[in-house]
Amino acid sequence: FLVGSRRERRITRLFGQYVPPEIVAEMSRRGERYSLEGESRHMTVLFSDIADFTAISERFDPRQLTRLMQCYLTPLTRVIHEHRGTIDKYIGDAIMAFWGAPLADPEHPRHAVRAALEMTRCLRTLDGEFRAEGWPSLRIRIGINTGAMSVGNMGSRFRMSYTVLGDAVNLASRLESAAKQYGVAIVISEHTRDAVPEYACRELDRVRVKGRSRPVAIFEPLGLAAELEPEQQMELADHAAALRAYRQRDWGEATARFRRLGARWPDRRLYALYLDRLAALMVAPPPMDWDGVFNLPTK
């Protein structure tokens, strides 16, 4: 009992600010040795941000803004913890979280995608509470990527924090930023998509982010494929056909298909984005070696 209590106190001291008590207790029960030293692991990282937060924050005095952020961050942090995530940090209105450390988690991509979908649902349940306070409805953007990254206690002689670093982390941050351009709440990379085949996803694009030469396919997760409505299944099939025509340089067919999609779902910014691209491509066709990859602007 004494050894177990000492072990749990040590783990709580090291990781208590990052993971929920349930994970700390599980780590203690396993009896393994956990360290803050840096190591390379295959993990999943998530970045989230509030859309138009600068304009929203200007409407509040400091005390009101602090209360708003507490009412927003507390339930979303709870969702991440419930799905076995580790809170890395809060950056203003943004949340950075990861899966796969300090406790190894072979299901880390799945838990991250589930958490992201639940975060968007959780935000909708807060609308009534926010309206009662006279606060605006909030919308979030989320970017998720899976890959090799360094995890451990990073920082300086003056301050350290348990965090993740690496190219895979940078890509997730870029995907969160890209969600605004595509008009969606969640963007995941092909690396995360490949690990969650049970989820229906809409392919958004193939992109190249600044600083990376290799392109990556990006997707919007919609939910479990088995629970998708027939209308959603039809839209996904039509979208895939339009995207296929676009990449085959069949501008007329792609334009006709995206127009039909846009007419049926006028609120989808994605279809207007592709129609604008197609109009530009028909005026100035790309070179013959065009690979259909879009270069994402810097954040």
Side-chain angles (χ1 to χ4, degrees):
F1 172 80
L2 291 174
V3 170
S5 298
R6 190 181 304 120
R7 183 190 304 120
E8 185 159 348
R9 285 197 302 273
R10 177 180 177 275
I11 293 173
T12 301
R13 186 175 68 254
L14 293 176
F15 300 105
Q17 62 178 310
Y18 306 109
V19 300
E22 296 81 9
I23 299 295
V24 169
E26 184 176 340
M27 292 166 70
S28 178
R29 286 196 302 271
R30 291 191 179 192
E32 300 172 9
R33 181 164 182 81
Y34 300 94
S35 170
L36 293 172
E37 293 180 6
E39 60 178 307
S40 179
R41 285 196 190 187
H42 193 262
M43 299 168 56
T44 297
V45 62
L46 172 152
F47 286 85
S48 77
D49 206 359
I50 298 176
D52 304 317
F53 181 69
T54 300
I56 291 171
S57 63
E58 290 175 349
R59 300 167 50 181
F60 294 84
D61 64 37
R63 184 173 296 178
Q64 289 175 322
L65 188 59
T66 298
R67 187 157 170 263
L68 170 68
M69 294 311 301
Q70 288 175 342
C71 292
Y72 161 75
L73 290 171
T74 299
L76 266 63
T77 298
R78 187 178 298 118
V79 168
I80 291 170
H81 281 170
E82 287 172 352
H83 291 84
R84 305 180 68 81
T86 297
I87 295 294
D88 185 309
K89 59 178 71 75
Y90 304 120
I91 313 165
D93 61 301
I95 302 173
M96 180 180 175
F98 54 80
W99 283 256
L103 195 62
D105 179 8
E107 300 283 302
H108 55 86
R110 186 164 289 111
H111 290 150
V113 172
R114 285 178 186 167
L117 290 166
E118 183 60 30
M119 286 166 73
T120 60
R121 287 191 287 265
C122 176
L123 205 57
R124 297 285 65 81
T125 65
L126 293 175
D127 280 349
E129 179 183 332
F130 279 24
R131 278 196 301 271
E133 295 283 349
W135 297 343
S137 177
L138 300 182
R139 293 177 296 109
I140 58 172
R141 295 188 294 260
I142 297 173
I144 298 175
N145 185 39
T146 299
M149 53 195 79
S150 298
V151 59
N153 223 19
M154 316 277 186
S156 68
R157 292 171 53 195
F158 304 100
R159 183 171 180 178
M160 305 287 285
S161 77
Y162 189 67
T163 188
V164 287
L165 298 173
D167 181 62
V169 180
N170 298 336
L171 178 57
S173 176
R174 295 289 180 82
L175 297 187
E176 180 273 311
S177 181
K180 178 180 181 179
Q181 179 174 340
Y182 293 93
V184 298
I186 307 171
V187 177
I188 66 174
S189 73
E190 62 185 45
H191 313 301
T192 304
R193 169 73 184 96
D194 291 344
V196 291
E198 72 275 23
Y199 281 91
C201 296
R202 187 195 331 271
E203 185 174 359
L204 299 172
D205 209 348
R206 293 184 70 236
V207 300
R208 186 179 291 109
V209 302
K210 189 172 179 63
R212 292 180 106 240
S213 58
R214 204 175 104 186
V216 61
I218 59 175
F219 299 81
E220 176 194 12
L222 304 176
L224 291 170
E227 298 176 358
L228 226 57
E229 298 291 335
E231 187 177 36
Q232 289 177 298
Q233 295 173 356
M234 183 180 67
E235 183 186 2
L236 280 182
D238 290 345
H239 171 69
L243 209 52
R244 195 159 47 246
Y246 166 78
R247 289 174 179 160
Q248 292 171 351
R249 304 170 65 103
D250 190 345
W251 313 132
E253 176 69 11
T255 298
R257 287 185 174 276
F258 277 118
R259 275 181 181 159
R260 287 196 293 270
L261 285 163
R264 187 156 189 178
W265 289 279
D267 294 335
R268 296 262 197 277
R269 186 182 304 171
L270 179 66
Y271 302 142
L273 180 150
Y274 271 100
L275 287 170
D276 288 343
R277 271 195 211 172
L278 285 160
L281 289 168
M282 284 189 278
V283 172
M288 293 307 297
D289 61 351
W290 178 71
D291 56 6
V293 174
F294 179 76
N295 291 321
L296 278 180
T298 58
K299 186 170 181 179

